[in-house]
Amino acid sequence: MLVDGPATHQAMHAAIAQARDHVNLQSYIVDASDVGERLAQLLKQKAAQGVKVNVLYDSVGSIKTPREFFRGLTEAGVAVCEFNPVKKAPAKLNNRDHRKILVVDGRVAFTGGVNISETYASGSRRARRVQDQERDRKEGWRDTHVQVAGPVVAQFQRLFLDAWALQDCGPWAEARYYPRLERRGDQAMRVVGSDPGSGKSEMYAALLEAVRGARSRVWLTVGYFVPDPDTKEALMQAARRGVDVRLVLPGFSDFWAPVYAGRSHYEELLAAGVRIYEWHEALMHAKTAVIDSSWSSIGSTNLDWRSFVHNYEADLIVQDAGFAREMERRFREDIAASEEIDADAWRARGAGEKLKEWLARQWEYLL
């Protein structure tokens, strides 16, 4: 498990530096900040060494990135593809590639919530030390990523190559995309994706099943929380049957509407016994779950309509008690940095806050 941007990017750069055959990168945001430039220089170096480098970025997520940035990669021998270009595919404007996947030599893979963006130039500890909410919207985000090896890497590779083919990015360069992979441990892992083209979200189904079957605890950390009726009902039913259900959610975000749409559901959740915590000292962007001290997930999927219906997503599910303990330790640290929502105080919130919640909820299907 990798916590926050600096640690994640350091691990990704180290893996890329060791690449001998290929590097496949898929990211919602690839920007031209110092973070993006450092990665770009490394990718150019690997391409110059004969490594096959493929980069797939989302047209909307990376809309502020100058064309010159991607042109520089192409001129250096990097294959670059734009996912659902805004100008060329306006009918697919609402279907975004929200995945964050890196595969190196078909042997190591990364996924989670961390983009290639200036928002990850520093870690969330800095944001907590220096209280500046406007600055925290731009950097120091709290996020979680994961690095894996072993047979599960082939599942990430398939997601990437399928997305490349879907976008008609042209034939990928010949490389050893599927080397023989030996087991690296006893952890059971699988990759789940969301594909609006197929009309299904594997992560949605897997999470609902895990919550509905939970016996002791459901601990979720969610960057954007705008639950559909089934997800909300599953959380409330779990709490009512005595399961320890806790949510760590953002107290502010880069866009106000998802926060208030999520808050419009708090009263029902609190009444059912769900405990809710908000991060106010840094922007919470992680998407993780740990259930019954054995089932865990890390990925790009939020608990909102956009992730479940509109976006292409990717998550790793791990069924292992040791990894779950690590996730629980991180969750407790996040709770310690959060403020718990008191049910009585919440019911007494002002009319202005309730109005914002009502307005945001009218648009929750698109958030």
Side-chain angles (χ1 to χ4, degrees):
M1 183 170 63
L2 301 165
V3 177
D4 290 350
T8 297
H9 291 151
Q10 182 178 5
M12 290 171 63
H13 287 196
I16 294 171
Q18 296 297 314
R20 295 293 179 268
D21 186 70
H22 68 272
V23 174
N24 288 338
L25 174 67
Q26 182 175 5
S27 185
Y28 178 63
I29 299 174
V30 178
D31 72 14
S33 65
D34 289 345
V35 171
E37 285 292 351
R38 284 195 296 272
L39 177 65
Q41 291 305 313
L42 181 56
L43 295 178
K44 291 175 183 178
Q45 290 173 14
K46 300 313 293 186
Q49 295 169 10
V51 174
K52 310 302 187 300
V53 182
N54 303 305
V55 173
L56 179 60
Y57 69 93
D58 186 76
S59 181
V60 170
S62 305
I63 199 166
K64 295 181 180 180
T65 306
R67 291 291 173 181
E68 291 76 18
F69 177 88
F70 295 114
R71 190 177 302 120
L73 287 171
T74 301
E75 292 173 351
V78 176
V80 179
C81 186
E82 182 179 8
F83 192 96
N84 280 356
V86 174
K87 294 182 179 179
K88 295 181 181 178
K92 297 180 179 179
L93 179 64
N94 206 33
N95 301 132
R96 305 320 322 162
D97 182 11
H98 197 237
R99 294 170 180 166
K100 293 89 176 171
I101 295 175
L102 171 66
V103 180
V104 178
D105 288 347
R107 297 184 179 280
V108 61
F110 297 77
T111 199
V114 177
N115 287 289
I116 310 303
S117 165
E118 66 176 345
T119 56
Y120 297 103
S122 60
S124 59
R125 287 184 179 274
R126 194 281 315 158
R128 290 169 60 191
R129 286 195 303 267
V130 182
Q131 295 295 289
D132 183 346
Q133 203 169 92
E134 284 305 312
R135 181 180 178 185
D136 293 343
R137 285 188 170 91
K138 299 177 181 178
E139 63 176 85
W141 288 16
R142 165 70 189 91
D143 219 325
T144 305
H145 227 67
V146 65
Q147 177 179 350
V148 297
V152 74
V153 174
Q155 298 177 41
F156 282 111
Q157 190 79 287
R158 174 49 55 196
L159 276 185
F160 177 87
L161 294 176
D162 283 352
W164 190 270
L166 174 69
Q167 291 300 300
D168 195 21
C169 297
W172 49 73
E174 185 175 341
R176 296 186 66 240
Y177 292 116
Y178 294 102
R180 182 175 178 177
L181 299 170
E182 302 292 340
R183 288 177 61 105
R184 300 292 295 272
D186 296 327
Q187 296 173 326
M189 302 181 184
R190 66 184 175 112
V191 178
V192 290
S194 297
D195 182 347
S198 67
K200 67 177 182 179
S201 166
E202 294 175 333
M203 183 60 194
Y204 176 74
L207 182 62
L208 264 185
E209 181 182 9
V211 172
R212 287 169 174 166
R215 297 184 176 184
S216 59
R217 63 179 50 156
V218 173
W219 290 358
L220 309 180
T221 305
V222 188
Y224 298 92
F225 179 75
V226 188
D228 70 295
D230 287 346
T231 301
K232 184 169 71 171
E233 184 62 25
L235 292 171
M236 293 192 299
Q237 288 292 345
R240 287 172 183 144
R241 65 176 182 266
V243 175
D244 178 13
V245 181
R246 305 189 193 193
L247 308 176
V248 173
L249 307 175
F252 67 97
S253 189
D254 53 338
F255 180 40
W256 70 273
V259 173
Y260 280 92
R263 286 175 176 171
S264 72
H265 298 275
Y266 281 12
E267 197 160 331
E268 290 179 85
L269 290 163
L270 291 167
V274 176
R275 299 178 69 180
I276 302 174
Y277 303 79
E278 286 190 350
W279 259 69
H280 289 274
E281 297 180 349
L283 196 150
M284 170 57 70
H285 192 255
K287 307 97 169 54
T288 67
V290 58
I291 298 175
D292 287 349
S293 301
S294 60
W295 189 101
S296 306
S297 70
I298 297 177
S300 66
T301 300
N302 290 294
L303 283 185
D304 62 6
W305 292 88
R306 173 149 296 285
S307 281
F308 292 151
V309 178
H310 305 300
N311 285 349
Y312 293 81
E313 307 280 5
D315 297 77
L316 177 73
I317 294 176
V318 182
Q319 292 180 289
D320 178 77
F323 188 75
R325 284 194 296 271
E326 185 179 357
M327 293 281 287
E328 288 174 341
R329 178 190 59 78
R330 181 66 243 183
F331 189 86
R332 290 188 180 96
E333 291 181 10
D334 286 336
I335 280 183
S338 306
E339 297 177 10
E340 184 167 7
I341 302 297
D342 178 77
D344 291 335
W346 188 255
R347 283 192 294 271
R349 69 196 185 283
E353 293 295 291
K354 292 179 181 179
L355 177 59
K356 290 180 183 178
E357 293 166 18
W358 181 86
L359 288 171
R361 192 159 176 172
Q362 308 313 302
W363 299 93
E364 65 180 3
Y365 181 73
L366 297 174
L367 296 177

